[in-house]
Amino acid sequence: KAGVTQTPRYLIKTRGQQVTLSCSPISGHRSVSWYQQTPGQGLQFLFEYFSETQRNKGNFPGRFSGRQFSNSRSEMNVSTLELGDSALYLCASSSTGREKSDTQYFGPGTRLTVL
Amino acid sequence: AQTVTQSQPEMSVQEAETVTLSCTYDTSENNYYLFWYKQPPSRQMILVIRQEAYKQQNATENRFSVNFQKAAKSFSLKISDSQLGDTAMYFCAFMGSNAGGTSYGKLTFGQGTILTVHP
């Protein structure tokens, strides 16, 4: 089975721009979670989607948004980029999402640099 | 809110030796799940081991085992027979199971411990 894939792997943007990151979960997985990883703040939860619905959201401003498609692929969007948005963005998928304890499997991440 | 603390920013060990990474957490929940993830320099986060809080038996996966002390809210990872490939950042993570929905898909991570295995 193919693992979680994320595209693109690297992005360079300038302040004020917007960006869209994509995540394809493991086949059959219906839950996708997104995390931001920075040296200062560590790993922080952004949001989780299941069956095209956002079920949970972390403490991030409204500039961070996401969506999930019927094939479980997910995208996250960041508008009006700030320097502090530079980070590694990780997505993770889990099997059914019915159990809150489902083990999450991570993708390789997208490295976003904001200049 | 749950918090996870890893008090060892860096650890080192000689190849073939044993090392223990510490993790403590704070929660008011009774049922929850704990994980150790490994993130090698290539950046792919990999699950190492998982523990359900309702299970008294400590989880084991080959050379990796945990010491889960529920009352003390402690969850340490022991790596036996360390190998060069174990060099990575190790994260302890918590997932709650409350009925309020705030646990869906949310892992709370510690700050990580950088482990270096020396030949």
Side-chain angles (χ1 to χ4, degrees), chain A residues 9 33 35 37 40-43 45 48 55-56 88 90 97-98 100-108 111, chain B residues 33 35 37 39 42-45 47 50 91 95-107 109-111:
Chain A
R9 293 293 309 278
S33 297
Y35 297 87
Q37 185 176 21
Q41 299 298 316
L43 281 149
F45 172 75
E48 186 257 6
R55 294 194 301 183
N56 201 1
L88 181 68
L90 295 169
R98 282 195 295 271
K100 297 187 182 73
S101 62
D102 276 351
T103 296
Q104 295 187 3
Y105 298 91
F106 284 80
R111 168 71 65 187
Chain B
Y33 305 83
F35 305 84
Y37 281 91
Q39 189 177 39
S42 67
R43 294 289 185 180
Q44 184 91 35
M45 190 86 75
L47 175 72
R50 161 194 164 117
F91 291 98
M95 181 177 282
S97 62
N98 68 65
T102 59
S103 295
Y104 278 120
K106 178 182 178 181
L107 284 166
F109 287 89
Q111 288 297 98

Side-chain angles (χ1 to χ4, degrees), chain A residues 6 9 18 23 28 32 45 57 67 75 92 96:
Chain A
Q6 293 186 246
R9 293 293 309 278
Q18 75 166 20
C23 172
V32 174
F45 172 75
K57 188 177 187 305
R67 60 177 176 168
E75 290 181 347
T96 65

Side-chain angles (χ1 to χ4, degrees), chain B residues 47-111:
Chain B
L47 175 72
V48 175
I49 201 164
R50 161 194 164 117
Q51 174 80 43
E52 290 84 359
Y54 62 86
K55 290 186 178 179
Q56 292 185 335
Q57 187 173 5
N58 289 325
T60 299
E61 286 288 343
N62 301 315
R63 298 182 295 108
F64 300 88
S65 61
V66 299
N67 183 4
F68 173 50
Q69 301 290 328
K70 191 173 183 180
K73 295 181 182 173
S74 170
F75 183 60
S76 61
L77 174 70
K78 185 172 84 171
I79 305 174
S80 304
D81 186 25
S82 296
Q83 300 176 358
L84 297 178
D86 295 333
T87 293
M89 174 86 89
Y90 286 79
F91 291 98
C92 177
F94 171 100
M95 181 177 282
S97 62
N98 68 65
T102 59
S103 295
Y104 278 120
K106 178 182 178 181
L107 284 166
T108 299
F109 287 89
Q111 288 297 98

